[in-house]
Structure formats: structure tokens, C-alpha cells
Amino acid sequence: MDPQNDREQADAFAAGALSVATLLNHKFLEPRYQYSREIDPIVGVSFTGLFDFFVHAFGVDWLRWWEQGRPATPEGIEFKRQEEAYLTRWRDIVHAQVWDYCDRHGLRRPNRCTTVQPSGTKSLLTGASPGWHPPKAQRFIRRITFGKNDPVALACIDYGYSVIPGQSDKDENGNLLNDPFDPRCSEWLVEIPIAVSWADLPGADEIDISQFSALAQMDFYMNVQSHYVTHNTSATVEVRESEIELLGTRIYEAIQNDEGYISAALLARFDDRQSFPRLPFEPIDKAEYDRLSAEVLVRRKTDDFKNALQRYDLGELAEAGPAGCDSDKCLLPEKNPS
């Protein structure tokens, strides 16, 4: 959405509000679920791509402020005030729309109508950053897990994307397979080069998003929780070992000061990615992105993805499509208990 177009934003959040408000008409077959709905109805309007939206709204200076840790400088205080203004306005639009719908249809008003849900593959494929989180990088390879010969994956091949064996496919010596058509291969990773919408902004390439501190992430997450979300925000704060004490102290303060903190997942951040090959996200530079994008065009057999999909999908594969979870939280190697 255009950060300067208030009408467009209002229409989008009003549409989201109406789409969830109609769910309040649903009658549960399970009596306790229906009882819960009657005494405490809740709905949730979410968004994705918030980080990208604010880059377009505030420019590269906002990114540099993040790089500094989102300090309470005069510029930083103004940035945060503007973030709060957007978030609060969107929240108020959602609640007004849901409550108006409920009043007109004789339904009990929910007292919580906004959330940020976990962002899945579909939103990420639009190039949007997930939920409120910063993207992994300005440009990256996105790897999506499919079953071998999945119709969507086969269509991706015709569209020019490369396919490699999944992380679980190994030879008898424990080495990863390289040929996706190897009989031992059971899963495919479709590799898609992606650039965020602001990747070419002057100065954006100078900022290493992977170095954003855990405290900066926590600060932004809490701004979203405090000024938009009325139940919970899906949040994964990526933290280095040296940041554990600082982040732990900040979470403790948020709880003690009743700032609205509910929960956040913590994910260890490893600067050495060599330990985990073929992760769902692999940051790349502009030269690599341009090279991979050019190779996609060379391999492309069709410009119509829908027709490519219809060649393979006969409408009989109920489980076709990406794996239920292919994020870096789900695919880290399992450790057997000793």
C-alpha cells in the first residue's frame, strides 16, 4: 500500500475487518466452542509486510536508525511516533468496522479484533517481509519444500526456477543429494531469487539487516503489540549469545511494567551459515540476484504459470503444494536425545 494514501489503507483494513466479522455468524457443532464464542467472541485482522511499508514511508534513514539499535534520539522518537500513528489508525479502523457490523446484525462485539499471525509461504512469495519482522536480506534465495513431482514444483521448473533435493535426502554416506530426479530423493526444494520492494533504494545496500540487534527487534515488536495488536503478535526475535542477558532484562522489564508483552519466540542467530546448507532463506548480493534471475529467464519454457500448473495438476492431489512448515524454525537438524 502507498504510505501516503490514507484512503487506500482505510479501505484495506475495513475489508479485512468485514471478512473476519462475518465469521462471527458461524455456529460451532461443539457446545463448549459455541459457549466460548458467545461469552468471549474474538476475531483477528492481521497484516504482512509492515517493515517494507515503513521503509517506503520513512526512507533509508529509518533503516539507519534500525542499524543504530532504534535509539531514543530526536529523530528516533519522531520515527516511533509516526509508526504509532499508522498502527493506531489501522487498529481503530478495524474495531470500528467490526463493531458496526456486529451492531447491525445483532452480534456481540468482540473486544479484541487485531493480531499479527504467523506469515506463511504465500505472503513471502509476494516479496513481502513476514508480519512485522525485517526480511532476511534485501535479496535472498527463497527455498520452498515440496514433495517430489508435486504439480506446483513441476510448474515451477517450467517457469524457470531451479529445483534441488530436500534437506532430508542424503546418500549412504550422509551427504546431501544433488540430483532432484535421483530415486533416493523424496523432497524437492524450489529455489526462487527474491528482492524486496525497496532493494534498489539508494543507500539500502549499505545496511546489513542480519546485524539488527535483538533489542531493536524487541522494540519494534513491542510497538506493534502496544499500538495495533489487541490479542497476540506472532514474533520471533533472533538473538546472538552475547545478547541473551540484555534481551532477558528487557523482556523482564516489559512484564514488570505491564507494557502488554505476552510472548515471543527466540531463535538463535548463527553468523556462520555453513553449518546449515539449503536453509529456506539464503542472503545474496545484487550481482548474485541478477545472475540467478537471468538464469531463470533462460530456463523458462512458459510465461504462463497457471497453464504450466494445469499441465500437471489433475485436481486429484489433495496434499499438493508447499510443505506445512518450511521455515528455518522447522527445518533445523533434529538432535537425538543422548
Side-chain angles (χ1 to χ4, degrees):
M1 296 186 292
D2 180 355
Q4 310 307 321
N5 191 332
D6 291 349
R7 181 72 263 165
E8 182 182 50
Q9 296 165 45
D11 288 346
F13 279 91
L18 281 173
S19 71
V20 301
T22 59
L23 300 176
L24 293 169
N25 293 296
H26 176 74
K27 302 297 182 183
F28 289 101
L29 296 178
E30 175 61 44
R32 60 197 175 111
Y33 292 164
Q34 185 62 30
Y35 175 69
S36 176
R37 160 64 57 79
E38 290 169 359
I39 64 171
D40 184 27
I42 59 173
V43 294
V45 176
S46 180
F47 54 64
T48 199
L50 181 68
F51 190 93
D52 302 328
F53 179 90
F54 282 150
V55 174
H56 289 294
F58 308 133
V60 176
D61 286 343
W62 186 74
L63 289 173
R64 294 195 180 100
W65 176 54
W66 262 85
E67 192 174 38
Q68 296 160 11
R70 292 174 58 96
T73 59
E75 180 186 43
I77 292 171
E78 178 58 20
F79 277 144
K80 188 172 285 192
R81 185 196 66 79
Q82 292 183 65
E83 290 175 1
E84 293 170 3
Y86 277 113
L87 294 165
T88 302
R89 184 166 72 250
W90 298 338
R91 180 194 65 199
D92 292 345
I93 291 168
V94 169
H95 280 83
Q97 192 74 53
V98 171
W99 290 342
D100 175 69
Y101 179 90
C102 290
D103 292 347
R104 286 186 289 110
H105 292 83
L107 299 170
R108 184 169 183 170
R109 286 183 174 188
N111 62 8
R112 304 184 298 290
C113 301
T114 50
T115 187
V116 176
Q117 66 184 21
S119 292
T121 297
K122 287 180 288 186
S123 61
L124 294 172
L125 286 179
T126 67
S129 53
W132 63 267
H133 301 81
K136 296 294 182 180
Q138 286 87 335
R139 299 172 184 85
F140 53 90
I141 299 171
R142 176 74 173 109
R143 295 188 178 96
I144 306 169
T145 305
F146 292 85
K148 185 178 181 180
N149 293 317
D150 183 281
V152 179
L154 291 169
C156 286
I157 293 175
D158 286 357
Y159 201 67
Y161 296 130
S162 64
V163 171
I164 60 174
Q167 290 179 323
S168 60
D169 293 323
K170 300 177 182 180
D171 63 19
E172 58 278 5
N173 297 316
N175 299 314
L176 288 169
L177 299 177
N178 293 311
D179 180 7
F181 296 100
D182 189 307
R184 296 169 294 181
C185 178
S186 61
E187 288 185 333
W188 280 355
L189 297 177
V190 175
E191 298 185 312
I192 303 176
I194 290 179
V196 297
S197 57
W198 45 269
D200 293 323
L201 282 179
D205 272 345
E206 301 169 7
I207 296 164
D208 186 353
I209 294 174
S210 69
Q211 296 302 313
F212 286 167
S213 70
L215 287 180
Q217 297 169 62
M218 180 74 181
D219 183 69
F220 190 46
Y221 150 64
M222 284 303 301
N223 218 22
V224 174
Q225 178 69 43
S226 300
H227 296 95
Y228 177 77
V229 173
T230 45
H231 29 117
N232 198 20
T233 304
S234 173
T236 301
V237 177
E238 299 190 0
V239 57
R240 292 178 172 84
E241 187 173 2
S242 61
E243 299 176 302
I244 291 175
E245 290 296 329
L246 291 172
L247 181 61
T249 299
R250 177 66 190 97
I251 292 174
Y252 174 81
E253 291 172 351
I255 296 171
Q256 288 296 106
N257 298 332
D258 198 21
E259 297 177 34
Y261 173 82
I262 298 178
S263 68
L266 305 181
L267 180 66
R269 174 172 267 171
F270 301 98
D271 292 313
D272 179 10
R273 300 186 193 90
Q274 302 299 324
S275 304
F276 304 104
R278 300 181 184 177
L279 278 177
F281 299 90
E282 180 182 331
I284 54 178
D285 59 21
K286 186 178 188 303
E288 180 74 356
Y289 171 78
D290 290 341
R291 182 184 69 81
L292 293 173
S293 297
E295 291 177 358
V296 169
L297 296 178
V298 170
R299 292 190 298 263
R300 184 166 290 174
K301 300 175 183 177
T302 177
D303 290 324
D304 192 327
F305 186 85
K306 180 180 179 182
N307 282 341
L309 178 60
Q310 289 174 336
R311 288 183 55 199
Y312 303 106
D313 186 4
L314 302 178
E316 299 172 354
L317 299 176
E319 296 181 1
C325 179
D326 66 348
S327 77
D328 42 8
K329 292 87 173 171
C330 300
L331 294 181
L332 293 178
E334 293 184 5
K335 290 185 176 180
N336 294 322
S338 56

